[in-house]
Amino acid sequence: MAMMELAAVRRRDGGKEINRKRRAGGKVPGVIYGKGLETRSLEFDRKSLEKFLDTARRGTVVVKMTVSDGAGGKESYAVLKEVQTHPLSDRVTHVDFYEVALGQKFRVEIPLRIRGKAAGIEMGGVLEIVTRSLEVECTPDNVPEFIEVDVSPLGIGQSLHLGDVQFPAGVVPMEKDLRMTVAAVHTPKAEVAPAPAAEAEVVEGASVAEGAVPEKEEE
């Protein structure tokens, strides 16, 4: 499990203009919420947040967050839920975190990481990744950064199903259909050769089209 630390400050004011000034000052607004918990508005230092996001975007990360509120600070554990970015600059404008309790199970989306080269590719097959993430239930201390899936045994026409995936101890998939396809190797579609361009045939002795000027015979 990957776990990182992140500092935040409780904010009690808001609005577009105030948040715009925060962003101009190197801060990013956000929220943290959880089941049965108070939703708190926060602000983060942009450099620290972007460093965290560089890691969090590669897999699932549990963050130990220290939220300063006046003179004191409170520690919370959370997972990243949503990142909003500016449509033109792609800079982060807002982040959402979901608070979790250590030792208490919760549901989280975990990305799948493909390992190996499918045997069917050597025979001209095409690998299709059908499922790229899975929702699982586990405790925060058991959250895997990713779940590795080995596709190397797959030949042409073969599939890897949910029942073939090995989950870490304490991690249970929410999908109960073990036949759900995760990856498959297909026969490549036959390419259709383009039709040859039609060539005009010259018919000996054919009449000259109306209005056309016939060529003179050589004398």
Side-chain angles (χ1 to χ4, degrees), residues 130-178:
V130 180
T131 306
R132 296 189 177 275
S133 65
L134 289 170
E135 185 183 33
V136 303
E137 185 177 68
C138 59
T139 57
D141 53 324
N142 279 333
V143 175
E145 186 176 354
F146 56 85
I147 296 173
E148 194 171 71
V149 177
D150 184 9
V151 298
S152 56
L154 295 181
I156 293 178
Q158 294 182 328
S159 301
L160 185 139
H161 302 98
L162 178 61
D164 302 316
V165 179
Q166 299 296 315
F167 290 88
V171 179
V172 180
M174 290 295 94
E175 176 60 57
K176 301 306 178 185
D177 183 5
L178 298 182

Side-chain angles (χ1 to χ4, degrees), residues 52-71:
F52 163 78
L53 292 176
D54 284 343
T55 299
R57 282 169 172 160
R58 299 188 212 120
T60 305
V61 176
V62 176
V63 57
K64 180 181 178 182
M65 189 183 302
T66 302
V67 179
S68 299
D69 187 2

Side-chain angles (χ1 to χ4, degrees), residues 36-113:
L37 299 174
E38 176 192 12
T39 298
R40 290 170 288 163
S41 298
L42 308 174
E43 72 174 21
F44 302 87
D45 174 74
R46 177 173 294 279
K47 289 184 178 180
S48 299
L49 179 64
E50 290 179 344
K51 182 179 179 180
F52 163 78
L53 292 176
D54 284 343
T55 299
R57 282 169 172 160
R58 299 188 212 120
T60 305
V61 176
V62 176
V63 57
K64 180 181 178 182
M65 189 183 302
T66 302
V67 179
S68 299
D69 187 2
K74 178 185 177 182
E75 288 186 351
S76 300
Y77 292 88
V79 291
L80 181 67
K81 290 294 288 186
E82 184 180 1
V83 179
Q84 298 176 24
T85 58
H86 191 279
L88 298 179
S89 66
D90 203 36
R91 295 197 79 186
V92 178
T93 58
H94 194 276
V95 287
D96 290 10
F97 286 91
Y98 184 82
E99 189 171 355
V100 296
L102 290 180
Q104 183 176 327
K105 292 182 179 180
F106 74 108
R107 295 183 179 185
V108 62
E109 198 81 12
I110 304 295
L112 299 182
R113 179 172 294 183

Side-chain angles (χ1 to χ4, degrees), residues 116-131:
K117 182 178 181 180
I121 293 178
E122 297 291 342
M123 297 178 281
V126 177
L127 175 66
E128 178 189 7
I129 307 302
V130 180
T131 306

